[in-house]
Amino acid sequence: MKLLFVNCCISRRGAGSRTHALAEAFLTAFRAAHPDAAAEEITPETLLALKPFDAALLQKRDALAEAGNFDAPVYALARQFREADAVVVAAPFWDLSYPAALRTYIEYISAVGLTYHYTEAGCCGDCAAQWLVYLTSGGDVEREDSIGVLHWRQLAAMFGIPKFDYVFAGGLDAHPETAGETLTAARSLAETLARTL
């Protein structure tokens, strides 16, 4: 099994990132349950270095797609995403969504003809992953209908990934008296999900 970890744990807390604590719980349990599995990580530094698509870059990518040249460097992240057997995305709950760097990453992996394609019936996913897990935490309470959850649920469907789950540790600042318990419960759920992959 090949797990892709998209690490967008960008936080002023640094190593104390609460979202990263969720990710570490997940990854530790995953490695214990799947000792022979391989894991690849997209680091925050990689995400922050991505250049958003402008008109010229879009035209260049479209020309490569029309020529069937999906081996080009601009498609490297999409190829990696397409080949993963499972994907875990970790990002904090920012402004009812997630950091802009993760949105830019989504533009790179959303490659028509590689990670999905269209037929007369509509959009069809081409990714190998059977499961996508979205991990997040925030000072306020993230809900089922918040943009981060909805967007990644819909992206999983677009990419042809049949199972979607998410874990959030919400209200950590709104309810500091129970923040430790909330984070512990979320870490436990992340560990359970990792063991069932």
Side-chain angles (χ1 to χ4, degrees):
M1 179 186 291
K2 183 189 301 181
L3 175 74
L4 178 62
F5 171 38
V6 183
N7 179 358
C8 191
C9 297
I10 301 168
S11 171
R12 60 182 173 79
R13 295 179 178 83
S17 163
R18 299 175 298 196
T19 307
H20 195 263
L22 287 180
E24 280 298 305
F26 183 97
L27 293 170
T28 298
F30 175 82
R31 294 185 188 107
H34 308 280
D36 297 327
E40 297 179 342
E41 179 178 352
I42 303 293
T43 66
E45 293 75 19
T46 296
L47 295 174
L48 289 166
L50 292 174
K51 181 179 185 280
F53 282 93
D54 57 18
L57 190 53
L58 282 172
Q59 288 174 353
K60 180 180 178 181
R61 187 173 75 161
D62 288 348
L64 290 167
E66 289 174 8
N69 187 5
F70 292 111
D71 292 329
V74 72
Y75 287 113
L77 292 172
R79 291 194 305 270
Q80 181 187 43
F81 189 91
R82 184 180 192 267
E83 294 166 3
D85 297 309
V87 178
V88 58
V89 179
F93 180 45
W94 281 11
D95 305 323
L96 302 181
S97 182
Y98 42 73
L102 187 57
R103 180 64 184 86
T104 304
Y105 174 75
I106 291 169
E107 293 182 4
Y108 277 83
I109 63 173
S110 299
V112 179
L114 185 60
T115 51
Y116 67 102
H117 68 280
Y118 289 101
T119 68
E120 291 181 357
C123 182
C124 301
D126 294 313
C127 294
Q130 295 298 300
W131 204 332
L132 190 148
V133 177
Y134 179 55
L135 307 174
T136 186
S137 72
D140 200 354
V141 177
E142 185 165 8
R143 297 173 178 83
E144 175 75 18
D145 60 350
S146 68
I147 299 302
V149 173
L150 283 177
H151 197 190
W152 280 101
R153 186 189 302 277
Q154 292 172 3
L155 285 168
M158 182 180 83
F159 292 132
I161 301 173
K163 189 164 179 58
F164 172 84
D165 278 294
Y166 74 98
V167 178
F168 72 87
L172 298 179
D173 297 331
H175 303 288
E177 70 282 0
T178 58
E181 296 173 7
T182 300
L183 187 56
T184 296
R187 285 171 55 96
S188 178
L189 180 54
E191 291 168 352
T192 299
L193 284 175
R195 294 188 193 102
T196 55
L197 281 183

